[in-house]
Amino acid sequence: MTEFYYGQTALEQLRSYKRLTARIKVLEKQPVGNGIYISSFRQDDQLQELHRQLRGLPSYMYLNKREQKLETTAHAYLTQYKTGTHSQLREVSGLSPADEEDEKLLRELKGKIEKVIEARSGARGG
């Protein structure tokens, strides 16, 4: 019964998210003056709101199986949970995995963090 409830809740959240994004897309096309559009103000707010919503959900509701495995491996090795991406990269880089599979997963996690840094700054490692 609980799985059905969580499934229904997830579907309803997805539907409301789709409705909300459609309304946002319409509003983003409306100029507020001097060539400025709402979208330039809302991008960071939308990302922060999405992170806030995801924090309240169990990870199995938004992570696929591979990502769940990465998360489990990271939790097994991490003693501190840093907030900045550069701090997270240093933390993951300094880990000593117990076996080859964990090493591969941690390398993949490190690559994902590097992609986030690259997307934000435009350059890797800088």
Side-chain angles (χ1 to χ4, degrees):
M1 181 69 183
T2 11
E3 288 180 26
F4 176 75
Y5 174 75
Y6 284 125
Q8 288 297 105
T9 305
L11 285 174
E12 184 54 42
Q13 287 175 344
L14 182 61
R15 285 186 194 111
S16 64
Y17 175 76
K18 286 181 179 181
R19 283 191 298 269
L20 182 62
T21 54
R23 287 167 53 201
I24 288 171
K25 285 181 182 181
V26 169
L27 287 173
E28 285 176 344
K29 295 177 182 170
Q30 300 297 318
V32 290
N34 295 333
I36 299 174
Y37 291 84
I38 292 175
S39 63
S40 58
F41 295 119
R42 295 271 310 150
Q43 288 174 351
D44 287 339
D45 292 343
Q46 287 174 341
L47 183 60
Q48 289 172 357
E49 182 60 31
L50 177 62
H51 282 278
R52 197 173 300 115
Q53 289 174 355
L54 290 178
R55 252 186 244 119
L57 296 174
S59 62
Y60 68 86
M61 291 185 78
Y62 59 89
L63 295 179
N64 63 31
K65 293 289 183 192
R66 181 71 180 167
E67 291 166 339
Q68 288 177 22
K69 193 169 186 172
L70 283 173
E71 179 189 40
T72 303
T73 304
H75 284 306
Y77 286 97
L78 292 174
T79 56
Q80 298 179 14
Y81 298 95
K82 306 285 184 168
T83 54
T85 50
H86 288 284
S87 298
Q88 292 170 353
L89 182 60
R90 278 192 301 276
E91 194 75 21
V92 170
S93 297
L95 296 175
S96 301
D99 60 16
E100 196 173 307
E101 183 183 355
D102 286 353
E103 182 179 348
K104 183 179 174 184
L105 290 170
L106 290 172
R107 235 187 349 256
E108 182 179 342
L109 181 60
K110 181 181 173 186
K112 288 181 180 289
I113 295 170
E114 287 173 344
K115 284 182 184 178
V116 169
I117 292 171
E118 181 182 10
R120 289 182 180 173
S121 65
R124 278 189 187 232

